[in-house]
Amino acid sequence: MSAKVPTLYEWAGGIDALNRLTSVFYDTVLKGPLLEPVFRHMSGDHPMHVAAFLGEVFGGPKTYSEKFGGHSSMIQHHLNRRLTEAQRKQWIALLLEAADEARLPDDPEFRSAFVAYVEWGTRLARLNSQDGAEPELNEPMPQWGWGVPGGPYLPPSAG
């Protein structure tokens, strides 16, 4: 009998780990000239909201949907922001650095799934941020899993 495959949320370390991630990330974002203008007016709760969103996407509690409006709310936060490709790429680079600093799991399977979601999500955010974008606001909350690898890497001694 095989063990239950954990969700990405569980494997990452739950909401505490995601709060560490977003705290480190947004502290860094505010120090750089490319992304600071995008986030200079964010509320103090913004990192916590993003952690809740990521947690829900990665298989955790539905906190973001229940408290902050779900996927349509996240989409609406990006409307008319006119995000550039350079900003999107910087956002990814800083988030991956923050993942290391926040001590998120660094096994290849987790990071593959994490990067895949970040690539997908940032591309959608950029598209939805352009003038005239009319995104579908009734889409369900994305649910991200392990993808092709099928679960976390466990060394033979751990199995």
Side-chain angles (χ1 to χ4, degrees):
M1 187 181 315
S2 63
K4 175 186 171 283
V5 174
T7 64
L8 293 174
Y9 175 82
E10 292 165 336
W11 192 255
I15 197 61
D16 290 341
L18 295 175
N19 277 322
R20 280 195 317 272
L21 170 70
T22 57
S23 177
V24 167
F25 172 72
Y26 285 107
D27 284 349
T28 303
V29 160
L30 291 174
K31 295 175 186 169
L34 189 58
L35 292 175
E36 187 276 337
V38 176
F39 295 102
R40 78 171 47 126
H41 299 295
M42 72 176 171
S43 74
D45 293 340
H46 185 77
M48 181 191 69
H49 293 180
V50 174
F53 181 85
L54 290 172
E56 187 169 339
V57 168
F58 290 159
K62 298 189 181 312
T63 305
Y64 191 86
S65 289
E66 292 169 358
K67 292 186 177 181
F68 309 117
H71 193 231
S72 64
S73 176
M74 182 60 78
I75 291 171
Q76 289 174 17
H77 288 300
H78 293 90
L79 295 177
N80 299 313
R81 297 243 179 214
R82 296 174 211 69
L83 301 174
T84 67
E85 182 63 9
Q87 289 170 322
R88 186 191 78 79
K89 287 180 177 180
Q90 181 69 8
W91 197 95
I92 291 171
L94 294 177
L95 188 68
L96 295 180
E97 289 174 15
D100 290 338
E101 189 174 332
R103 300 174 317 281
L104 261 60
D106 64 357
D107 59 277
E109 290 77 7
F110 175 79
R111 287 299 174 100
S112 173
F114 183 74
V115 169
Y117 173 72
V118 169
E119 271 289 332
W120 180 81
T122 59
R123 288 177 186 277
L124 281 180
R126 183 172 179 271
L127 288 172
N128 292 335
S129 76
Q130 302 309 305
D131 289 338
E134 295 181 12
E136 174 58 52
L137 296 177
N138 294 317
E139 292 292 321
M141 179 68 85
Q143 293 295 297
W144 214 260
W146 290 99
V148 175
Y153 172 75
L154 296 174
S157 62

